[in-house]
Amino acid sequence: MEETVEDPPTSAVLLDHCHFSQVIFNSVEKFYVPGGDVTCYYTLTQQFIPRRKDWIGIFRVGWKTTREYYTFMWVSLPVDLNSDSAKQQEVQFKAYYLPKDDEYYQFCYVDQDGVVRGASIPFQFRPENEEDILVVTTQEELEILKSTAQKLEQEAKAQKDGWETELLQLKEQNQKMSSENEKMGVRVEQLQAQLSTREKEMEKLVQGDQDKTEQLERLKKENSQLLLTLTQQKERQKKLEQTVEEMLKQEETTTLKKQLALKDENAGLSKKLSENKIIYDALQKEKERLERENDLLKRENSRLLSYMGLDFDSLPYQVPTSAQGGAGQNPALVYGNPYSGIQESSAPSLLAVKKCPTCKSDFAGDILDFTSEQQRPQPLCLSCPICDKTFPAKEKQIFEDHVFCHSL
């Protein structure tokens, strides 16, 4: 990787060895030759997921926090974390940035939170054949070297003890993680079974949703069709209502006309009935008058017959004819029939038929003119049978015209 100016994320928290086993460094040499590039190989464990700001630094042995790095390089994120190639990673340090002394250093993998996830064994930067060079030193230098060696041995022993303790912790942690991994595996299987069940349920829900969507579309089409049909029915109903209204108006007009016509006809009939009642009353009066006159005439006849010594009931009935004339009289009568003149004069009146000038009814002549003028006294005045208006007897024509006007 190329150098970047950006500083890596670090932390001031003291060393925590519980996370050192998540990244394992492989093929770490005991020493590297100065002046050459150094390739660092490492492996990502299953429980660790790398992130974009993770980095690998070179630390001097004895460091306490991640801020004490000598140099660093950004790590590369694998494309597929589940593949084997993604687990095996490497990063290269350029020779220019490497330490120039012979102190002990180690690789450390630091995540973007500044927490160490893995650490390598110590190594040095020194020539390969340095052990073969015979070095002549003075006794003082030898005593210094021994002191330095003892010091390094003590530091190495202390670090070894720490590593052994850390290794035991890592083993215990590894066992715990293995147990957890087994539990996680069971849990993963359960989750996968649940996921499969959920996927099937989801498929059913999706299918049900599609069915409901199709049903909704069908219902929308049916609703549109029903709305169209309802609109058409409303239009037809409106037309029918208009037609019914027009028919009702026409029927009402016709009924009103009929009622008016019937009312007029009823009024005419009522008027005619009133007039007929008046005529009937007049004729009834006339009939009563004529009956009274007939009684008078009968009493007059009885008087005349009594005067002549004859009985009216004993007289034979004889129908006068024009052929008999005067010779058709009863031979038993010595002086002849005293009523022969009356019968001859009244015969035309009995056969003649007259019409009422008011109601146009037919009356026998004996009702209006029962006897001749010679056998009954002439009235002094004429009385209208309808309005009781009187006229002189000599104004008979005027009287008849007056009565006729009541029938108009």
Side-chain angles (χ1 to χ4, degrees), residues 16-25 43-48 116-119 166-167 169-174 177:
D16 186 4
H17 298 85
C18 63
H19 302 292
F20 281 16
S21 62
Q22 294 183 357
V23 178
I24 301 173
F25 290 92
T43 302
L44 302 176
T45 59
Q46 292 182 354
Q47 64 270 20
F48 179 73
V116 177
R117 298 295 179 175
E166 183 180 355
L167 182 60
Q169 293 176 353
L170 290 175
K171 286 181 179 181
E172 292 177 358
Q173 186 177 2
N174 190 19
M177 292 184 67

Side-chain angles (χ1 to χ4, degrees), residues 381-394:
C381 62
L382 300 175
S383 177
C384 177
I386 297 175
C387 62
D388 294 335
K389 186 177 181 179
T390 58
F391 295 89
K394 62 182 179 179

Side-chain angles (χ1 to χ4, degrees), residues 341-353:
I342 297 174
Q343 292 175 353
E344 290 177 359
S345 63
S346 62
S349 65
L350 292 172
L351 298 176
V353 177

Side-chain angles (χ1 to χ4, degrees), residues 315-321 324-331 333 337 340 343:
L315 290 176
Y317 178 74
Q318 227 176 1
V319 178
T321 60
Q324 292 177 347
Q329 296 178 358
N330 190 352
L333 296 176
N337 189 358
S340 61
Q343 292 175 353

Side-chain angles (χ1 to χ4, degrees), residues 257-274:
K257 289 181 180 179
K258 288 182 179 180
Q259 289 179 352
L260 292 175
L262 290 174
K263 187 175 182 181
D264 295 339
E265 185 178 357
N266 189 22
L269 291 175
S270 298
K271 182 178 180 182
K272 189 173 182 180
L273 179 62
S274 300

Side-chain angles (χ1 to χ4, degrees), residues 138-161:
T138 61
Q139 186 67 28
E140 184 179 357
E141 291 176 350
L142 182 58
E143 289 175 0
I144 294 173
L145 289 174
K146 286 181 179 181
S147 176
T148 304
Q150 290 177 356
K151 184 179 180 180
L152 289 174
E153 287 178 0
Q154 291 176 357
E155 292 178 357
K157 184 178 180 181
Q159 190 171 13
K160 183 180 180 181
D161 293 338

Side-chain angles (χ1 to χ4, degrees), residues 110-157:
V110 184
D111 63 11
Q112 67 178 18
D113 296 327
V115 179
V116 177
R117 298 295 179 175
S120 70
I121 61 175
F123 57 84
Q124 289 180 297
F125 294 94
R126 61 184 179 84
E128 183 178 2
N129 56 354
E130 184 177 355
E131 295 179 352
D132 300 333
I133 300 175
L134 295 176
V135 180
V136 179
T137 60
T138 61
Q139 186 67 28
E140 184 179 357
E141 291 176 350
L142 182 58
E143 289 175 0
I144 294 173
L145 289 174
K146 286 181 179 181
S147 176
T148 304
Q150 290 177 356
K151 184 179 180 180
L152 289 174
E153 287 178 0
Q154 291 176 357
E155 292 178 357
K157 184 178 180 181

